Amino acid sequence: MNSEMPAELRKKLESQGYHILGQRGAFKACQWQKKSLLSGDTCYKQRFYGIESHRCLQMTPVVDKCSQNCEFCWRVTPDDVKVTWDQTSVANEDVMDPVSLLDSTLMANLRSLGGYNPQSGARVLEHKYREAREPKHVAISLSGEPTLYPFLNGLIDEIDRRNMTSFLVTNGFQPDIIAEMSPPTQLYVTLAAPNEEIQKRLCRPGIKGAWDSLVKTQDVLQSLSGRTVNRLTMVQGRNMEGIRGYADLISRGEPDFIEVKGYMFLGSSRERLSAQNAPSHQEICAFSEKLSALTGYYVQDEQIESRVILLSKSKQVKKLS
Ligand code: SF4
């Protein structure tokens, strides 16, 4: 199958504000970076972990590649643009090398900051504008599955070499790669189902043995040197039952943190779900209290606007800056 990204997909992504980097890398300025520059409001990761939203690069090395097709995902999927493409295989020649990818991401950030220049009248503090031009954090989470990127170690090492922190979000379907991977500052493994049946229905894996792979990844988590997080994406009416299933998965991995986050009715997911599938913050609080009781993790913090609760294994949460 042709490894080119379909023109329909590239057109749709660019219309949504994505900067396509090389064949399939992508950067998109995060709404929280903009909010932080304009009003000082920041994302929950700044609140929970101390990263700075206005100095964050939201990017992905493989915008069109993922080994699952979650109903709640804001990513553009084949159904959304009525074309099919190979979702899971990525050859070395199909992607940018890590140094060029990071350089291009930094350039895309500078381009997207053009409208925030106080010299041109933007109501942004001069020092914050200058800081935003020198990012300190990379969120490898925008879209797609980063463990499909053949140079992932190189990317994480290059981010580290430039004294930046990195958060990487994975669906956990590649335990062998995760076990050998250069540790990002913080590794997120998404848990979106308490059992295989719901995983099949809600996440629609494009590979065989997805559940077993996820369980194996949870077993690998304990042995990793970097900080680890299980993020539970809660979709009302889809995966908020069977809480013991989540507790069992979490107990296998013993991550440093758990984030219980409500699904947000955003992006392309609006074609697949309804606003009723977005749980309220109260429902997220209630679920988190039960999970705390089952796992022994401490409920630490919350950000109501993002409908997210932080739980931690230890009583203290060490900030990153
Ligand atoms: S950490 Fe995530 S939410 Fe926060 S600014 Fe970066 S991309 Fe946005």
Side-chain angles (χ1 to χ4, degrees):
M1 190 177 273
N2 172 1
S3 71
E4 281 299 304
M5 183 195 300
E8 297 87 341
L9 174 61
R10 181 181 283 266
K11 192 158 161 272
K12 176 100 177 182
L13 290 170
E14 285 169 346
S15 73
Q16 293 179 341
Y18 286 73
H19 298 242
I20 306 300
L21 312 171
Q23 302 101 313
R24 49 183 40 87
F27 163 85
K28 184 179 181 184
C30 177
Q31 51 146 344
W32 288 104
Q33 181 198 36
K34 301 172 183 174
K35 281 185 181 175
S36 178
L37 287 167
L38 293 171
S39 66
D41 292 344
T42 58
C43 72
Y44 76 81
K45 289 140 203 168
Q46 175 156 343
R47 180 189 176 100
F48 293 173
Y49 310 113
I51 64 99
E52 295 174 290
S53 303
H54 70 293
R55 306 187 79 175
C56 173
L57 291 173
Q58 183 180 230
M59 61 85 68
T60 173
V62 283
V63 71
D64 62 332
K65 301 283 182 180
C66 190
S67 38
Q68 58 182 5
N69 239 333
C70 304
E71 271 193 303
F72 55 83
C73 186
W74 60 12
R75 180 174 73 94
V76 178
T77 63
D79 302 347
D80 303 325
V81 283
K82 308 291 177 272
V83 288
T84 57
W85 67 88
D86 174 352
Q87 302 263 319
T88 55
S89 57
V90 185
N92 292 4
E93 61 276 13
D94 295 342
V95 289
M96 261 181 156
D97 68 272
V99 173
S100 311
L101 179 61
L102 197 52
D103 286 342
S104 309
T105 306
L106 288 159
M107 291 306 294
N109 180 55
L110 291 177
R111 285 198 301 277
S112 88
L113 283 170
Y116 297 84
N117 186 345
Q119 307 292 331
S120 347
R123 298 171 67 77
V124 172
L125 296 171
E126 182 62 39
H127 79 274
K128 282 198 87 172
Y129 174 68
R130 272 190 271 108
E131 286 175 351
R133 292 171 61 81
E134 293 166 19
K136 296 298 287 174
H137 179 71
V138 183
I140 309 171
S141 63
L142 174 58
S143 179
E145 173 51 39
T147 56
L148 294 172
Y149 177 58
F151 309 122
L152 190 55
N153 282 348
L155 178 61
I156 293 167
D157 295 344
E158 186 60 22
I159 292 168
D160 192 44
R161 198 182 64 73
R162 298 188 196 193
N163 297 321
M164 301 164 86
T165 51
S166 56
F167 283 9
L168 185 138
V169 180
T170 175
N171 58 25
F173 289 4
Q174 310 237 43
D176 301 339
I177 288 180
I178 291 168
E180 301 303 321
M181 184 166 73
S182 297
T185 312
Q186 200 154 293
L187 173 70
Y188 282 76
V189 175
T190 300
L191 300 182
N195 55 51
E196 184 165 13
E197 189 207 336
I198 293 177
Q199 183 198 51
K200 282 200 170 118
R201 204 168 44 231
L202 181 63
C203 304
R204 307 178 292 186
I207 58 163
K208 291 200 169 32
W211 181 257
D212 297 342
S213 297
L214 177 63
V215 172
K216 202 171 163 205
T217 291
Q218 285 300 111
D219 291 338
V220 163
L221 273 194
Q222 289 187 46
S223 63
L224 301 180
S225 57
R227 291 157 61 120
T228 55
V229 185
N230 274 142
R231 179 156 65 194
L232 281 60
T233 303
M234 302 276 95
V235 185
Q236 193 56 276
R238 292 285 197 282
N239 66 357
M240 294 188 73
E241 304 301 325
I243 191 168
R244 185 163 289 286
Y246 290 109
D248 292 347
L249 280 170
I250 289 164
S251 306
R252 296 181 83 119
E254 292 193 15
D256 298 297
F257 308 109
I258 305 166
E259 291 177 6
V260 181
K261 174 130 188 26
Y263 154 67
M264 304 289 255
F265 188 55
L266 281 176
S268 296
S269 76
R270 289 170 297 178
E271 334 232 343
R272 305 175 218 118
L273 293 171
S274 78
Q276 281 64 51
N277 294 116
S280 68
H281 190 65
Q282 289 66 30
E283 289 164 331
I284 295 294
C285 292
F287 187 96
S288 303
E289 290 298 337
K290 286 190 205 132
L291 194 61
S292 169
L294 285 170
T295 59
Y297 277 61
Y298 302 93
V299 174
Q300 285 284 3
D301 202 350
E302 65 179 346
Q303 177 147 312
I304 296 171
E305 188 177 351
S306 304
R307 300 185 204 159
V308 63
I309 299 278
L310 172 67
L311 296 92
S312 69
K313 187 163 61 175
S314 59
K315 274 205 175 123
Q316 297 302 320
V317 175
K318 188 168 170 303
K319 302 275 182 182
L320 291 166
S321 65

